[in-house]
Structures are given as C-alpha cells and as structure tokens.
Amino acid sequence: MSERHAGVSRRTFVTGAAAAAGATWLARGPRRAAAQTKATITYWNGLTGADGKVMDELIDQFTKETGIKIEQQRIPWADLYAKLQVSVPAGEGPDLALIHTVEVPHFASDGVLEVIDDSAMSSRGFRAADYLPATWQGGTFEGKRYSVALDVPQHLLYLNVKVMKEAGLLGADGRPKVPASRDELVQMAKQMAKGDTFGFGIGTVAPGRYTWGFHNLLWQNGANVFTADLKRSALAEPAAVEVADFWASFFAQKISPPSNASCRDAFIAGKLGMWIAGSWNFTGLREAKVDFTAAPVPRLFKQPVVWSMPHQFTFPKPKGADAAKRDAAWTHIRWMTDHVAEWTLKAGQISASRKAHADPRITADPVLKVLMSQGANWQVGQPTPRWVAAENLTRPVIESVYIGQKPGKAAMEDLARQINALPA
Amino acid sequence: MARRRGLTAYGFLAPGLLLFAAFRVYPLLDGLRLSFTNARLGRPAQAFVGLANYERLLEDTRFHVSLWNTLFYTVASTLPILAIPLLLAVALNRGTMRTVLRGAFFFPFTLSVVTVGLTWLWLLDPVVGPFNYYFGWLVGRGRSWLSEPGTAMWVIIATTVWWVAGYYLVIYLAGLQDIPRDLYESAALDGAGAIRSFWAITLPLLRPVLLFVFVTHIIGSFQIFGQVFVLTQGGPGDSTRTVVQHLYETAFQNFFAFGAASAMAWVLFAIILVFSLLQFRLLRGHTEL
C-alpha cells in the first residue's frame, strides 16, 4: 500500500506527529515544571520496628499532600548514630534526621548538627507553650537550639492479666492490682514467680543490661549519672549504690528473668507478670492479642519519675546550603507536628506537642491515657556530651551487678571511675 | 623479549595492585599514623601524642580482659574447629547420602553472622527458648546459658563451630580427595583398620590442609566480633568481650577515639603476626608447603 493511497503523505504525517508531540509537551510542561520545583529530601531515622511502617504511611500521605518526596533510610539507632558521625563531616549526611534527646549534646559539640534560630522556630509556629518543658528543653544544648521534639517514648508498667490471675493478684473489679511501693512490688513478684514464670522484669530484651531502666530507678531515688555541674560522675554516691543493690536483688531473688532473656517474649508467652518497659511495646502486645493492662510506672524510691527520651528532628550540617531542601524539611516537621495524633494512635508514642493531647481518639485509649498522665513526671538524660559514652560503660557494669558477679558498691565505684576518665 | 613479557605481566597486575594499595596498604599505614595521634572524629585538629595511646592500653583493664577473652576463645575453639570438621569429612568422604549431608553441613555457613546469632539467641532464650525447654525437661531445670560467665563463651564457641564446620569440611574433603586410594588399599592388605589408616595415612597426608585450617582459624579467632556482639554484646559483665569489640566501641561508640582504637588494632595485628609466624615455624619442618 502506497502512502498516497493511505490518504496521508509522509510530510503531513511527520508534521502532524511533531505538532501533536509539541502540544503534548506544552500541555504537560507546566505540571512537570511545578513538580521539579519540589525538593526531594533524605531523612534518616532509627524507626526499624512497627513504628517505621507507620512513618512510611505518614510520609506517603505527606508526599501526596505536598508533592515533597522523602527518601527515608531506617537504620538501627546505634548504627544510625555512628553513620551520622562519620557521614556528616564528609558532607554526605541526610537533610533531616530523627535522633534521641541524649544524642543532642555530643552531636552539637562535635559540630554535626546545625543550630536552629529562634526565629526559624517561631515563624513556623513552634512555641514553648505548646510543649511540656522536658521535651522543649531537650532540644537545646548550652543555650542553643539544635532540635525539635516529635514524641515522647517513655516507660510504663504492663500487667499481664493471665499471670496475675493465676497468682491471685486480681482486684475485686477483675483488674490486676498495681503495686504502690517497692516492697509491694517485690512481694507481688514473689507471689507470681515459679519455675520459668517471673513476677517482674524491666527492659525489653537483656534486662540485666537495660540502662534506661537503671536510669529510671536512679532518677526516682534522686540520683543521677553525673553531678549537677556535669563535671564528674555521681554514681558512687549512696543513692546510686542503693539503686544498684535493688537492681542486684531482681535476679538474686528469682523474681526477674535471667540477664539475657527477652522480657517481651516472656510477657507475650504468659511467663512474666509485671513489666516496666517502653511505650513502643504496647501496639505489638495488642497485635499479639495479649491480655494486659497498663499503669503508670510505680514509685519505687523517693519520687515517681518516669524515664523518657523524646525523638528529636534535627538538621545535620550539609555540605552546602540548599534553601529548597531546608524549606522542604521544615515543611515535613510542621506537617508531622500537625498530624502527630495519627502518629500517636498508630505508633503508640505520645506527642511532644500538647496540641494532640486533647484529641478524643487519644484520650479514649486506655494505654495512651496512662502515658499522658505521666507527663508531669517525665525526666530525660543529662545534657552532657559524655552521656552516651557513660551509658555504654554502664551496660556491662550493671549486668555484672544483676547476675551477682560484682557487689553494688564496688561496681558503682568502678563505673564512676571509668566515667570520670572519659575525655571532656 | 623476557623484559617485555615482564612488563605485560605488571600491566595486567597493575589494576589489582593499585586497588590493593589504595584500599589495604594505605588505610593500614594511615592507621599506624593515627595510633600516634589523639585523632577523634568530629574534631579536625590532631596532635602527635607519641606512644600515649599504647601506654594507655597498659592501664586499660577492659582491654586486658578483652585480650584474655580473645586468647581463651582462640585456644578453646581450636581443637573443636580442627577436629569436628575433619571427622565429619572423613565420615562423609564415602558412603551414601554424602552429597545431601555435605550440603546440610555446609548450609549454616551460607547464613550471615547476624542470622546465626539471632537464631541461637532465640533457641537459647532462658524463658521461651526451645533448647532450654527440652533441657529443663531432661534435667529438671533450665539454665541461662548466655547469662552465666562460666558458660557464655562456650556457647559462643559451640555456635561458631556449628556455623563454620561446613566450610572447613569442604576444605578437608578437597584434601582427602587428593590422597591416593591405593595407599588405603595397601594398608588394608597389610591388615590396617580404619583407625590405623586414619593415623598412618590420612592425618600425615592432610598436614598442609590442617596447617591452612589452623592458621586461618587462629587469624580469624583473634578477630572474632560478630557472634559475640549479637549473642552477648560482650556479657555477662565483660566475660565475653573481645579485642575487636573493644576496638569497635572505642572507635564508633565512645567518643570516636580513632587514635586509641588504631593503637588497639596495631597491637592486635602484632599479636596475630607473632602467632602466625610461630605456627609456620613450628610446622615448617613437618609440612611441605
């Protein structure tokens, strides 16, 4: 068949095709151009558990609403921090990172994080009045702001209904009894402990090495890792030694699982009655259909302090300034703060911003209600660049106390000596 | 002509040598330089501190403990690592199902150290782990294997043997294939049984392979890290803490003290070098290499 017979000449066909392509380009042009103006940002965090999937969903929603793409990297926290320390000085860091409060001082003093101007915060609607003091202050170091808090991972007391029922520890209302003191907790734990079932545990896995639980008890007893001036360790002081002795009694009295056990698995398997652990565990317990209730962390020493460690949005120092990327990162922080109720409901972490606390979906949830009730008792780690290194040194020492390898006093003196030897 | 061929050979070798120099030799030497400085990541200023990092190691009790643990692991794991794969290889050299069994024994080696560690961590969990459940059923009560200083290192050794036995098994099998069959036939005609043949033929002729396994195992043992990190994180207390873990934490967790960590790395390198030279010297007279 010839072209003429088809009714369209080659020239006409080529001209028509070019015109059609041009028209299509013109029609698409403005939209594509608009899409190109939206920055793509890189975002590193340590949300490697169930909460990471929730963050994925929220980021998808954010991208749909704003057109800003986020390339998220979820890295286990310890590796994330090492990676940030190495990559940021090389100019290979992310545009945005989520870190824990206690990481702010050392990253700030090592020049890994950018200082955030007060004006940058206020112009985007971030105000101190919207946050609880511990979370707002956690973003500052030596008078300068380095981060904005997202949420408040914290401890709470989980009570296993099955285990407590078998031990006769349900109240008249059919709900597990809540220990009101240290003696009562130990007494109840002993009542539940038999064979491979334990009455009390603290920490998700490896309870003997669980520094966050140890810190919680220290803070309850008015003790801390460093003295108030942050110059030397306070762990050899009597209040800290008292905590260490209590720590040693858990496994020695056979009320707590061995040092390397998984308390979470034991709780799910119905082999652990009372469990002080992080708020990030409760959505998993619901998924596993464990019959449990939650209560505030009991006051086991002088004050009802609850350990917490807010997640903080930070800007790692970039190689060169990129206003579009920074603006996109701010847009994400603002968006997440405005949608933090979704994060709280799905990931189980109470928001740092008070605005979401009145959301009826949150106030109706029994566990979230408990978590919010602890707000006045939240405490965070001390603002010193040596905090994280001190915590690393603490882990094996408290484990040796837990398993009875070292007496509390000697262990705390040894630990204080090691911490004091850390470089300033 | 010969010179031209030599140049051609060097030409072919050059890319590999360049990569080796850039990614092996240079970091090694730069690490040596760092070990004489107070280098810390995030603090650009570095000062020459002479032997201070090495002197500090003399006072670092945790380094001493780590060194002792590493040495203990190396010595205690050597016999099982040498013997168990060898016995398996001899058993699997002939017989039915040998291909399937070789595959079965080699399979663990295909797993990453994290997978191996997490698997055993769950199997040995003192509360919900199946191993302890059956152990408790047999002897009345379970044990917290990884929480007790007396057993934790042995569990790490057992896990390592389970993990790497298949790899050494394959090496031994290759060595066994090289032993002429007629030697065994002659020995059988002379009335030698399986055990006598093993001691008189198999073991002597496997010496080069044994030396290879021995040396590579010792070098690898001094660098043990993955299994310990996943299974015990050096615990209970510091009872399974090894030199590489101490080095890793010094470099990447506690203040990124690259200078101090480099000094540890060089001390470890020197120890491995001495042990390797000793092994070669001890076995040189008995083995054709």
Side-chain angles (χ1 to χ4, degrees):
Chain A
M1 189 188 285
S2 72
E3 289 165 358
R4 194 172 293 277
H5 284 139
V8 182
S9 71
R10 179 184 290 156
R11 179 176 293 173
T12 310
F13 176 79
V14 170
T15 310
T24 310
W25 183 82
L26 283 170
R28 287 185 177 177
R31 254 189 292 167
R32 186 180 294 172
Q36 280 169 346
T37 59
K38 298 286 185 188
T40 297
I41 58 168
T42 50
Y43 173 31
W44 294 359
N45 60 58
L47 305 171
T48 54
D51 48 5
K53 289 175 194 160
V54 178
M55 185 57 85
D56 271 346
E57 288 169 21
L58 288 171
I59 284 175
D60 285 348
Q61 194 186 330
F62 167 76
T63 303
K64 271 182 203 158
E65 288 180 18
T66 63
I68 297 169
K69 285 185 185 160
I70 294 183
E71 288 170 2
Q72 188 186 200
Q73 271 199 46
R74 300 196 312 234
I75 307 157
W77 290 112
D79 300 335
L80 168 70
Y81 297 136
K83 199 171 168 180
L84 276 174
Q85 187 83 32
V86 175
S87 61
V88 174
E92 300 293 332
D95 302 308
L96 183 67
L98 195 68
I99 65 175
H100 289 110
T101 308
V102 291
E103 305 287 339
V104 171
H106 78 91
F107 276 136
S109 65
D110 278 358
V112 170
L113 304 179
E114 274 212 343
V115 177
I116 300 172
D117 289 339
D118 287 343
S119 60
M121 292 282 286
S122 56
S123 67
R124 287 167 177 89
F126 293 99
R127 298 181 312 138
D130 293 336
Y131 290 82
L132 284 163
T135 62
W136 184 258
Q137 287 305 326
T140 61
F141 174 63
E142 292 182 345
K144 290 178 184 167
R145 174 160 295 281
Y146 290 91
S147 61
V148 185
L150 167 67
D151 61 9
V152 191
Q154 59 189 291
H155 279 158
L156 79 162
L157 176 68
Y158 296 100
L159 301 155
N160 191 311
V161 177
K162 174 183 166 277
V163 179
M164 295 188 76
K165 188 180 178 183
E166 282 170 4
L169 288 168
L170 297 190
D173 58 354
R175 291 171 62 82
K177 287 180 184 169
V178 178
S181 68
R182 200 182 342 161
D183 289 345
E184 203 175 335
L185 177 123
V186 172
Q187 185 53 43
M188 286 168 65
K190 280 181 178 169
Q191 217 168 313
M192 284 181 268
K194 57 176 180 186
D196 58 356
T197 299
F198 297 92
F200 173 68
I202 186 163
T204 310
V205 292
R209 304 170 69 84
Y210 189 59
T211 48
W212 295 346
F214 188 74
H215 291 159
N216 200 151
L217 300 178
L218 278 180
W219 297 345
Q220 283 209 347
N221 207 23
N224 217 326
V225 177
F226 291 93
T227 51
D229 62 4
L230 305 174
K231 286 188 175 159
R232 60 180 184 84
S233 173
L235 286 170
E237 289 173 12
V241 173
E242 189 188 1
V243 170
D245 289 338
F246 182 51
W247 189 258
S249 72
F250 297 162
F251 186 54
Q253 294 190 82
K254 295 188 169 47
I255 59 171
S256 292
S259 172
N260 72 314
S262 166
C263 290
R264 181 184 51 210
D265 290 350
F267 193 84
I268 290 171
K271 293 185 171 189
L272 181 60
M274 296 181 293
W275 180 34
I276 292 178
S279 47
W280 52 90
N281 288 294
F282 86 85
T283 49
L285 296 181
R286 282 181 177 166
E287 276 172 29
K289 301 200 184 327
V290 179
D291 191 3
F292 75 98
T293 60
V297 174
R299 196 186 78 155
L300 301 176
F301 287 93
K302 294 171 192 156
Q303 46 203 26
V305 172
V306 175
W307 170 93
S308 70
M309 195 184 272
H311 288 132
Q312 304 272 351
F313 285 116
T314 57
F315 299 117
K317 275 189 183 161
K319 210 171 194 173
D322 188 327
K325 280 181 183 287
R326 179 56 52 86
D327 219 42
W330 270 117
T331 306
H332 179 65
I333 298 173
R334 186 67 259 176
W335 188 93
M336 273 302 294
T337 306
D338 294 340
H339 291 75
V340 76
E342 310 297 324
W343 172 249
T344 297
L345 286 163
K346 290 176 181 168
Q349 310 286 21
I350 290 292
S351 66
S353 160
R354 291 180 209 253
K355 282 183 178 173
H357 293 185
D359 189 309
R361 293 171 300 168
I362 292 172
T363 52
D365 186 293
V367 179
L368 294 176
K369 207 169 152 183
V370 168
L371 292 171
M372 279 195 301
S373 74
Q374 300 188 130
N377 297 327
W378 288 342
Q379 188 172 326
V380 297
Q382 291 168 294
T384 162
R386 299 198 292 170
W387 180 269
V388 176
E391 191 178 326
N392 291 333
L393 293 175
T394 304
R395 217 164 279 130
V397 177
I398 60 169
E399 188 179 34
S400 64
V401 172
Y402 191 87
I403 62 171
Q405 202 178 26
K406 270 187 187 172
K409 190 170 188 296
M412 289 300 104
E413 283 170 356
D414 178 38
L415 180 57
R417 188 187 49 73
Q418 288 186 51
I419 291 172
N420 287 334
L422 283 170
Chain B
M1 183 70 178
R3 194 178 163 195
R4 199 170 156 188
R5 284 179 65 189
L7 283 174
T8 310
Y10 281 116
F12 278 110
L13 284 171
L17 283 173
L18 280 174
L19 289 173
F20 183 74
F23 295 107
R24 292 281 182 177
V25 180
Y26 169 72
L28 197 75
L29 296 177
D30 200 45
L32 181 62
R33 180 189 64 79
L34 281 176
S35 73
F36 299 111
T37 70
N38 61 357
R40 263 174 63 191
L41 197 67
R43 304 281 168 96
Q46 282 178 21
F48 179 75
V49 294
L51 291 171
N53 287 324
Y54 292 92
E55 285 165 5
R56 207 166 291 137
L57 288 183
L58 295 174
E59 298 158 11
D60 184 350
T61 50
R62 298 187 86 198
F63 180 71
H64 303 163
V65 170
S66 308
L67 202 55
W68 165 251
N69 290 338
T70 307
L71 202 62
F72 179 84
Y73 168 84
T74 302
V75 172
S77 65
T78 298
L79 187 62
I81 289 277
L82 286 178
I84 294 172
L86 175 61
L87 295 176
L88 286 171
V90 170
L92 293 180
N93 197 26
R94 294 177 200 173
T96 55
M97 299 278 292
R98 60 183 175 177
T99 311
V100 176
L101 288 171
R102 281 177 199 177
F105 283 113
F106 190 76
F107 173 71
F109 191 69
T110 63
L111 303 174
S112 73
V113 68
V114 177
T115 310
V116 170
L118 290 176
T119 304
W120 280 94
L121 203 58
W122 173 73
L123 284 168
L124 292 165
D125 186 286
V127 182
V128 297
F131 188 85
N132 235 18
Y133 174 81
Y134 290 108
F135 185 81
W137 180 69
L138 276 174
V139 304
R141 65 179 283 271
R143 287 187 70 165
S144 47
W145 305 91
L146 291 165
S147 298
E148 294 175 25
T151 54
M153 188 58 97
W154 291 107
V155 171
I156 289 168
I157 290 170
T159 307
T160 309
V161 171
W162 176 83
W163 183 35
V164 302
Y167 169 72
Y168 289 125
L169 167 84
V170 170
I171 292 171
Y172 280 132
L173 277 171
L176 288 172
Q177 303 290 322
D178 282 346
I179 300 175
R181 293 280 112 210
D182 51 0
L183 289 177
Y184 289 106
E185 286 161 15
S186 304
L189 286 173
D190 289 340
I195 294 172
R196 179 84 180 125
S197 295
F198 175 80
W199 286 109
I201 302 171
T202 308
L203 217 48
L205 293 178
L206 265 186
R207 259 194 194 138
V209 180
L210 274 166
L211 177 66
F212 171 79
V213 172
F214 190 37
V215 173
T216 52
H217 166 67
I218 296 289
I219 292 171
S221 294
F222 273 110
Q223 298 172 65
I224 182 173
F225 173 60
Q227 304 93 301
V228 174
F229 202 65
V230 179
L231 281 167
T232 62
Q233 295 181 319
D238 275 334
S239 52
T240 59
R241 188 181 187 79
T242 61
V243 172
V244 177
Q245 187 189 350
H246 197 60
L247 190 161
Y248 166 76
E249 288 182 3
T250 305
F252 295 104
Q253 286 190 351
N254 298 339
F255 275 72
F256 298 85
F258 279 20
S262 298
M264 287 178 204
W266 270 89
V267 169
L268 185 63
F269 172 76
I271 293 169
I272 293 174
L273 187 68
V274 168
F275 267 82
S276 301
L277 290 174
L278 272 175
Q279 283 171 301
F280 276 108
R281 197 180 174 93
L282 285 171
L283 295 163
R284 191 173 52 190
H286 307 287
T287 308
E288 283 179 30
L289 293 171

